[in-house]
Amino acid sequence: MKRFLFLVLIFQNVFSQEIPLNVQKIIKAYPGKVTGFKGNKIVFSDGSNLIYDDFKNKTKQEMLENPDIEDQFRFVYAKVNKNLIPKEDAGRIRNEAFFKKIYGNSKSEVESKMTEIIWCPKLVNQKIKVTTVNGIDIIVKKLSAELDNNPEFKKYINAIGGTFNWRKISGTNRLSMHSYGMTIDINVKNSNYWQWDCKCKNEEATLLYRNQIPLKLVSIFEKYGFIWGGNWKHYDTMHFEYRPELFL
Ligand SMILES: [Zn+2]
């Protein structure tokens, strides 16, 4: 009998691997793109896979430069509130290979999945390009419609700074999240960016947090699954990127 129970336990271990909570979030956040989890690997709809956890201990700088998918969840993204003074960079750690699998492996592949929409037709009426992956174009249209009902937001959301741009983050070898068509920089004029303030690119620099963007505006973006760069210690208050897994 004991031996039988032992065999049952082995069987359960092999055939019903427990899926880590953060992997469950990824599967939920990218339906049709991420299909499962097998032996520490995230499985994608094309049958390919990526290692989830490399089991390496990393400094913050190493995590920025060479994170595994598990590291993306290292800091918990908390929705904005009036006492906001961000102490970490939740969401700023990204595994490039993962996002290439979701949105496209090259400029032309990402572009082939993009469509044009009208950003805030009443207040701004600007054409922008966004990805259609996981219905993000539909999500951005809804976000835009809600922002468009707030005339007081006009100076922040008009002449938006940038959407799609396949490029490296300046001063690094890492691909910008603007390369995937799911990231929006709103108006630059009313924004703050840590590198402009410290006039440096040194991650270790002492920073004094600054922000002019109304938190009500930020909350609308968050409602649609966008994290905000103003919620980072290394603040970038014009920057919003679609990262639904961090809200689940
Ligand atoms: Zn940006």
Side-chain angles (χ1 to χ4, degrees):
M1 189 60 188
K2 255 186 190 162
R3 201 149 106 189
F4 174 73
L5 278 175
F6 180 70
L7 284 173
V8 167
L9 282 175
I10 295 250
F11 183 84
Q12 280 183 336
N13 244 342
V14 171
F15 292 99
S16 66
Q17 182 189 10
E18 193 136 316
I19 300 181
L21 183 63
N22 288 336
V23 176
Q24 293 178 33
K25 291 179 183 181
I26 285 175
I27 293 171
K28 220 184 257 178
Y30 300 98
K33 286 284 169 188
V34 178
T35 53
F37 186 65
K38 209 174 172 191
N40 190 32
K41 283 177 179 156
I42 305 262
V43 182
F44 294 85
S45 55
D46 62 359
S48 65
N49 61 61
L50 288 174
I51 286 182
Y52 170 61
D53 188 354
D54 61 15
F55 298 105
K56 284 181 193 154
N57 278 324
K58 296 169 205 137
T59 62
K60 281 183 187 173
Q61 189 62 35
E62 285 166 343
M63 259 196 296
L64 271 180
E65 282 166 12
N66 203 15
D68 61 22
I69 296 170
E70 186 237 356
D71 291 330
Q72 293 180 172
F73 293 91
R74 185 66 61 89
F75 305 112
V76 175
Y77 186 88
K79 286 184 181 175
V80 292
N81 66 68
K82 62 180 174 25
N83 301 317
L84 170 90
I85 295 186
K87 294 191 173 55
E88 298 292 353
D89 292 332
R92 195 165 165 248
I93 294 161
R94 306 95 161 183
N95 178 284
E96 193 168 300
F98 175 81
F99 290 99
K100 282 180 168 170
K101 292 261 189 218
I102 302 288
Y103 297 108
N105 206 27
S106 64
K107 182 172 188 262
S108 59
E109 200 188 333
V110 172
E111 278 181 318
S112 73
K113 299 174 189 181
M114 293 183 75
T115 188
E116 196 171 77
I117 67 158
I118 305 288
W119 175 252
C120 299
K122 285 184 282 181
L123 294 176
V124 185
N125 199 32
Q126 182 179 346
K127 284 178 188 165
I128 63 168
K129 279 188 164 178
V130 289
T131 185
T132 59
V133 168
N134 282 154
I136 292 172
D137 56 325
I138 312 286
I139 293 167
V140 174
K141 270 188 202 163
K142 286 183 189 162
L143 159 70
S144 156
E146 193 162 338
L147 292 171
D148 215 10
N149 288 328
N150 295 268
E152 74 274 23
F153 291 164
K154 185 170 175 175
K155 68 172 184 170
Y156 304 103
I157 56 175
N158 71 2
I160 58 175
T163 54
F164 173 65
N165 187 0
W166 181 272
R167 63 169 167 86
K168 296 269 167 76
I169 301 172
S170 90
T172 78
N173 213 12
R174 310 193 303 274
L175 209 51
S176 156
M177 294 306 277
H178 289 278
S179 305
Y180 306 118
M182 39 59 104
T183 298
I184 295 170
D185 281 347
I186 57 171
N187 193 303
V188 173
K189 258 189 270 170
N190 300 295
S191 298
N192 295 92
Y193 181 42
W194 69 276
Q195 291 191 5
W196 297 340
D197 287 343
C198 78
K199 297 181 176 56
C200 73
K201 293 181 192 293
N202 175 13
E203 294 275 333
E204 305 300 318
T206 305
L207 303 171
L208 193 63
Y209 180 73
R210 297 207 302 151
N211 169 48
Q212 306 161 64
I213 309 293
L215 298 187
K216 188 184 160 198
L217 184 159
V218 175
S219 297
I220 295 174
F221 270 93
E222 286 180 340
K223 187 173 138 188
Y224 290 97
F226 286 78
I227 61 166
W228 177 46
N231 208 345
W232 298 333
K233 182 181 167 194
H234 294 87
Y235 53 90
D236 180 357
T237 72
M238 73 194 97
H239 181 95
F240 292 90
E241 78 184 55
Y242 184 70
R243 298 288 297 283
E245 72 278 18
L246 300 179
F247 292 96
L248 295 171

